[in-house]
Amino acid sequence: MTTRPLQNPPVKRRHIGFKLLSYLLGFSFMATLIAFGAILLSDYYRGINEYSNSITQIRSGYQQSLSYSLWNFDTRQINSQLEGILNFPGVVYVHIESEGNLIHSAGNVLANSEERHSFPLSYQSAGNHYELGELYIDIDYTGLYQELLDKTLEILVTQFLKTFSVSVFVLFIVRLLITRRLKVMSDWAESYSLSQLDQPLDLNLHQHEHDELDSVADAINTMRNKIKQDVRERQKAQSQLEDIKERLALAIDNAALGFCQYHSHNDRIVCNHHFATLMGSTQSELERLSHPLEHIRDLISGDMRAEQKERFNQLLYGRLNRLQNCVNLIDFSGKEKWLDATVQITRFDENLPAEILICVVDKTKEQIASHQAQELTLSLENKVTKRTEELYEEQQRAKINIQKLSQQLERQQQNQSSCLDNPFNNLLLEGMKQGNSALLGRIQQYLDIVLNGQHTMLNLSQSIRQWAEQQLPLQASQVTLKLPLSLILEENEPLICFLLEGMLVQDPLFPACESLELTLSLSGNQARIEACLDVPTAQESLLQQQPDSIGLHQYIIRSQMAGEFAREVVSGNQLKVEFTFALIRER
């Protein structure tokens, strides 16, 4: 099979001056774009900073004065201040809202705005803080973008004219100093051959100057002289090569290397003694064989014989240049051998191999040792596999034991949970024995809350304040609330109100108290609600009385809220009631 050589596509010629001009224009364009991008980016960030500074100035200069004007209802001053804000860069619309209603505005409300800023307006008088409204400022960057666009066009046009004029001048200089002499060198190179080594390269354009191109011409002439000398030395070396080939053949024949060379013109091989021995034959028998490579190919055996024979056939047809493999074969005498073989095409004739070189090294002993090592490895792997299975069975037995222990632990936890409910059962039984309808009513309320209520996100400060506004003013003469601004947590709000009512409203001293102070505070993961009731001295006998539902309160706080409940008398005529509960606990 013969294949046609691939033809190179025609080379497109292009003048070096125009290539240089295109490169200069391209590089200048890229450099201009980079510099322009840096300048444009710098101007953009400077404009953004200017707009940000304007917002800062508006906040520092107008927030307090607008708040004062709103407090005094000075509409004229407010409109004047809003008009003043419109004079800042980028501000297109400004307005004031109070409780969701627009009360003052200035500017174009229909103008496009890309950013909005807002500032709270408040006023402080006599220790009280009043929220008056919100100031909104709409910012438009159209002016900044237009300024950047104008600067972009100016820079691009200026840079293009400068770059183009410089490039044209450079093109003229290159044509004058370089391309003319390159044309002389090209004409000389086209006529150059080994038969015309005596013709030197002479530019002959600048008699009194010597530059890099003249140095190239001198180097070419030096190379020409060296080639002349190399040709003479090659002719001398050719004769020496024949002598070396004879000596090399003798050295290969004496080495422990099987060597064989195939010649397609007579379909015969030439081999040394080692190659014939490895093939299980003699030199004379191998060299008399017809189609010797096919006989050698048919000796290949083993698991890879089909693939190795196919690759050998591809080499015979010239599709592969070289093969190197460890080959398992049965030689002509019937013995099994492993050979490290290298097959190389050394010469082609009409795209077909004309000469093939085969070198083989005996690897039989190494392969036998390798097979023995593989058998030993397989034996070890089987032992490891067996031990792994045994370990897996032991692991499964351990898992079963762990599951049994887990079930026992769950049963113990269930028994412990049932024990926790004993205090509640005792309270219920005590109320039924005594016929205490108030206690039974409180227990019923608690059960309704637990069964129907859910934990929701709530503001505990706000919930306590609302409860105090609804319950306490009707009973106590003076109520003081010390609550944080907000305390957001997940809790059952009806249960909190139930506990507050039981702690305070249903306490025997509550109807006679003169003042009450209710405090909410935090300590780590614990929240604490504390109530202090002041009673007249005449009511000190009531201080020792306790509400009937105090046991219910202690049970709820300890079991449901992971906290503690305390009720004690302090300072003679003051009752202190508090309970703590965990903010984060297991459900």
Side-chain angles (χ1 to χ4, degrees):
M1 182 182 292
T2 60
T3 58
R4 295 183 179 180
L6 296 176
Q7 297 181 353
N8 294 328
V11 179
K12 184 178 180 180
R13 298 186 177 275
R14 188 179 179 186
H15 199 282
I16 190 173
F18 292 105
K19 291 178 66 177
L20 180 61
L21 179 62
S22 63
Y23 291 156
L24 285 173
L25 288 174
F27 176 77
S28 299
F29 179 72
M30 293 301 297
T32 300
L33 281 182
I34 294 173
F36 163 71
I39 294 173
L40 191 63
L41 189 62
S42 176
D43 291 342
Y44 173 77
Y45 282 119
R46 186 167 56 250
I48 293 296
N49 290 333
E50 183 180 354
Y51 282 28
S52 299
N53 293 334
S54 298
I55 296 300
T56 302
Q57 293 177 7
I58 293 172
R59 182 166 191 166
S60 61
Y62 285 86
Q63 186 177 14
Q64 185 175 2
S65 60
L66 277 172
S67 300
Y68 183 79
S69 299
L70 279 174
W71 179 256
N72 293 319
F73 298 97
D74 192 349
T75 304
R76 181 176 182 182
Q77 181 66 19
I78 292 173
N79 293 332
S80 176
Q81 290 171 339
L82 294 181
E83 292 294 333
I85 294 175
L86 289 175
N87 294 327
F88 283 86
V91 178
V92 295
Y93 181 65
V94 58
H95 65 281
I96 299 175
E97 292 183 3
S98 178
E99 296 181 353
N101 298 320
L102 179 66
I103 57 175
H104 295 283
S105 65
N108 185 6
V109 69
L110 300 178
N112 293 326
S113 62
E114 300 180 14
E115 187 175 351
R116 168 170 286 186
H117 296 270
S118 64
F119 306 131
L121 301 177
S122 60
Y123 186 81
Q124 188 168 359
S125 176
N128 295 323
H129 187 78
Y130 300 93
E131 296 293 337
L132 303 179
E134 194 83 10
L135 173 65
Y136 294 91
I137 301 173
D138 293 342
I139 302 297
D140 184 16
Y141 292 98
T142 303
L144 176 61
Y145 296 154
Q146 185 62 39
E147 181 182 351
L148 294 176
L149 179 61
D150 296 340
K151 183 174 291 187
T152 299
L153 297 176
E154 178 182 359
I155 293 175
L156 290 179
V157 171
T158 304
Q159 292 295 328
F160 174 78
L161 293 177
K162 182 182 71 174
T163 302
F164 184 77
S165 59
V166 171
S167 301
V168 171
F169 178 76
V170 171
L171 177 63
F172 173 75
I173 296 300
V174 169
R175 175 69 181 86
L176 181 65
L177 299 179
I178 298 176
T179 54
R180 287 194 303 163
R181 291 193 284 174
L182 290 177
K183 183 64 171 62
V184 174
M185 296 172 68
S186 174
D187 294 339
W188 178 87
E190 288 179 354
S191 62
Y192 174 79
S193 66
L194 294 179
S195 61
Q196 296 179 354
L197 294 175
D198 295 329
Q199 181 180 356
L201 172 61
D202 186 10
L203 296 180
N204 196 25
L205 294 176
H206 298 278
Q207 299 293 335
H208 305 291
E209 296 181 2
H210 193 86
D211 55 16
E212 288 81 3
L213 290 180
D214 294 315
S215 299
V216 172
D218 294 341
I220 291 175
N221 288 324
T222 301
M223 179 186 67
R224 179 181 56 82
N225 294 329
K226 290 181 179 180
I227 291 176
K228 288 174 59 178
Q229 183 179 359
D230 290 340
V231 169
R232 289 193 293 265
E233 292 179 355
R234 181 177 296 179
Q235 293 173 353
K236 181 179 178 180
Q238 187 68 30
S239 61
Q240 295 176 354
L241 181 61
E242 299 296 332
D243 183 47
I244 293 174
K245 290 173 73 175
E246 295 179 1
R247 296 179 183 180
L248 182 61
L250 180 62
I252 292 175
D253 190 58
N254 292 329
L257 176 67
F259 173 82
C260 171
Q261 190 169 19
Y262 170 77
H263 301 279
S264 63
H265 66 279
N266 58 3
D267 194 25
R268 291 292 185 270
I269 63 172
V270 177
C271 65
N272 63 356
H273 172 71
H274 296 289
F275 185 85
T277 302
L278 292 175
M279 294 294 110
S281 183
T282 62
Q283 285 182 261
S284 58
E285 291 177 353
L286 290 178
E287 291 176 354
R288 287 196 301 268
L289 284 176
S290 299
H291 308 297
L293 293 184
E294 296 180 1
H295 287 283
I296 295 175
R297 178 196 61 192
D298 294 338
L299 297 177
I300 300 175
S301 64
D303 298 335
M304 302 292 295
R305 60 180 179 275
E307 180 182 351
Q308 291 176 348
K309 286 182 179 181
E310 177 62 23
R311 290 176 62 84
F312 196 88
N313 290 333
Q314 291 181 2
L315 184 136
L316 295 180
Y317 283 98
R319 297 171 185 169
L320 295 176
N321 291 332
R322 186 172 184 270
L323 290 177
Q324 183 175 7
N325 281 308
C326 184
V327 182
N328 178 215
L329 55 81
I330 306 296
D331 65 10
F332 289 103
S333 64
K335 294 181 179 180
E336 185 178 17
K337 295 181 179 179
W338 283 270
L339 303 178
D340 191 358
T342 301
V343 185
Q344 176 74 51
I345 301 176
T346 57
R347 187 170 63 86
F348 284 89
D349 184 12
E350 295 182 356
N351 294 325
L352 290 176
E355 292 183 358
I356 299 177
L357 179 65
I358 303 176
C359 298
V360 293
V361 178
D362 190 6
K363 295 290 183 180
T364 304
K365 294 181 180 179
E366 291 84 346
Q367 287 295 326
I368 293 175
S370 176
H371 289 324
Q372 293 176 350
Q374 291 178 359
E375 292 176 357
L376 180 60
T377 302
L378 181 60
S379 176
L380 292 174
E381 289 179 352
N382 292 334
K383 293 180 180 180
V384 171
T385 302
K386 182 178 179 181
R387 181 57 181 161
T388 302
E389 292 176 353
E390 293 176 354
L391 292 175
Y392 177 75
E393 293 176 357
E394 294 178 359
Q395 183 182 9
Q396 294 300 319
R397 289 194 294 271
K399 286 184 177 179
I400 293 173
N401 294 332
I402 292 173
Q403 290 178 356
K404 292 180 179 179
L405 293 175
S406 299
Q407 293 174 359
Q408 294 177 1
L409 180 60
E410 289 178 358
R411 287 194 294 270
Q412 293 178 358
Q413 289 177 347
Q414 291 175 359
N415 294 334
Q416 184 178 4
S417 177
S418 62
C419 292
L420 292 176
D421 291 336
N422 288 334
F424 179 77
N425 295 335
N426 294 333
L427 287 173
L428 182 60
L429 181 60
E430 181 181 355
M432 295 176 65
K433 286 181 177 180
Q434 296 178 359
N436 191 336
S437 59
L439 177 59
L440 293 176
R442 294 291 293 173
I443 293 176
Q444 182 180 358
Q445 292 180 18
Y446 164 68
L447 292 176
D448 290 339
I449 292 173
V450 172
L451 295 176
N452 300 323
Q454 296 181 353
H455 285 74
T456 59
M457 295 301 297
L458 59 92
N459 186 342
L460 184 58
S461 298
Q462 183 178 357
S463 298
I464 294 175
R465 184 177 289 105
Q466 292 177 354
W467 176 86
E469 291 174 356
Q470 296 173 2
Q471 300 292 333
L472 298 184
L474 301 176
Q475 304 293 338
S477 59
Q478 182 177 358
V479 178
T480 302
L481 299 179
K482 294 184 178 181
L483 307 176
L485 182 62
S486 65
L487 176 58
I488 307 299
L489 73 163
E490 183 179 0
E491 193 54 76
N492 189 339
E493 185 176 9
L495 183 60
I496 296 293
C497 296
F498 175 81
L499 292 173
L500 291 173
E501 182 180 358
M503 287 169 49
L504 301 177
V505 178
Q506 295 188 1
D507 193 281
L509 291 176
F510 182 76
C513 74
E514 297 179 341
S515 64
L516 184 144
E517 182 179 293
L518 187 60
T519 304
L520 173 62
S521 61
L522 293 178
S523 177
N525 187 38
Q526 295 286 327
R528 184 170 65 93
I529 299 178
E530 178 183 351
C532 293
L533 293 82
D534 292 331
V535 297
T537 306
Q539 302 293 333
E540 291 183 358
S541 59
L542 297 176
L543 290 174
Q544 304 303 324
Q545 296 182 11
Q546 293 187 353
D548 295 336
S549 59
I550 187 171
L552 176 62
H553 300 157
Q554 291 177 346
Y555 166 76
I556 295 172
I557 294 170
R558 290 176 180 175
S559 62
Q560 301 295 324
M561 307 180 72
E564 292 294 336
F565 174 81
R567 181 181 184 275
E568 61 179 343
V569 178
V570 294
S571 301
N573 61 339
Q574 187 179 64
L575 176 65
K576 179 180 179 182
V577 182
E578 67 175 13
F579 77 88
T580 61
F581 60 93
L583 299 177
I584 301 175
R585 55 186 181 270
E586 296 183 358
R587 301 297 182 196

